[in-house]
Amino acid sequence: MSTQSRFQGQVAVVTGAAGGIGGATAQRFAEDGADVVLVDLDGTALEEIAARVERAGTNPHVITADVSNPSSVEDYVSQALDRFGRVDAFFNNAGVLGPWRNLFEYSEEDFDHVMSVNVKGVWLGMKSVAEAMMKSGGGAIVNTASVAGLSGTPTVFAYGASKHAVVGMTKSAALSLGSHNIRVNAVCPAIIDTPMGEAVLRGGNPDDIDAAKDRVSEMYPLGRIGQPEEVAALVTYLCSSDASFITGGIYPVDGGSRAR
């Protein structure tokens, strides 16, 4: 099956669609034939992504929603079903970095916000979408974790904690949903060339972003920072029939940095 038709007749929902990885993945789903539902809190930025998806060949359904709010999550799933009748692929991607703070510097308010979006939002999304998928015979869910969920992150304390939680929830959901023909995997990007990636770099070296990019690139065996399209390629593969026997997997997209 060609990639241009591998999602023909299928419906993909992407949260955090206004971000770099979310937008690239939404566009890739459209290029591969899917009908696409775009979800993000930033409605203005969503319009730009919607235009990209339209140019890729499909008319997306755009929804402004707060993924940490249960009623908003139920609403975006309901709208997807009303518009397209089913959900086959779900990129559960929305997340926030939070402030560049360590264990002692983190405020309770900031900690709760990161956990609300990155943990509660992922759980709510999986729960609501899986219920819809069970009624239509199955599907594939890919959660966005991070290499920050695979090791300690003392300088972005809450973010690292939240991504460890996403890794754990992915494995647990895969065990719970396998009998319903729903596969659940997670991608773990390193620093990717996106606004969030640049925010990470600015946190570590706010005065010289180019020097920060060079320093990080030297840490990766491939010698460069990744592109959002490279994450999108893995996400769409994991949602495709080519990955039909893959579930519960945690996949770094890190230029080889975890090999060290």
Side-chain angles (χ1 to χ4, degrees), residues 136-225:
S136 59
I141 296 171
V142 176
N143 298 320
T144 297
S146 169
V147 292
L150 303 176
S151 60
T153 55
T155 54
V156 281
F157 187 81
Y159 182 78
S162 72
K163 294 304 184 177
H164 275 78
V166 172
V167 168
M169 290 192 296
T170 297
K171 294 179 179 180
S172 295
L175 295 173
S176 297
L177 297 173
S179 62
H180 298 285
N181 194 33
I182 299 172
R183 298 182 296 103
V184 187
N185 293 287
V187 292
C188 297
I191 294 175
I192 304 297
D193 191 11
T194 65
M196 182 179 284
E198 186 165 314
V200 173
L201 293 169
R202 290 192 181 281
N205 191 343
D207 298 325
D208 192 340
I209 190 66
D210 291 331
K213 286 184 177 182
D214 290 342
R215 176 180 56 81
V216 170
S217 295
E218 290 173 359
M219 296 167 55
Y220 299 161
L222 291 182
R224 63 178 177 83
I225 292 172

Side-chain angles (χ1 to χ4, degrees), residues 80-101:
L81 295 175
D82 289 345
R83 174 70 182 272
F84 296 113
R86 59 188 296 120
V87 176
D88 301 285
F90 178 42
F91 186 31
N92 200 8
N93 168 67
V96 295
L97 178 62
W100 192 272
R101 298 284 187 272

Side-chain angles (χ1 to χ4, degrees), residues 14-27 38-42 45-46 48-49 52 91 93-95 193-196 228-229:
V14 178
T15 67
I21 292 174
T25 305
Q27 181 175 338
L38 306 174
V39 181
D40 203 288
L41 189 60
D42 187 344
L46 268 182
E48 179 182 343
I49 301 301
R52 286 171 51 186
F91 186 31
N93 168 67
D193 191 11
T194 65
M196 182 179 284
E229 292 78 13

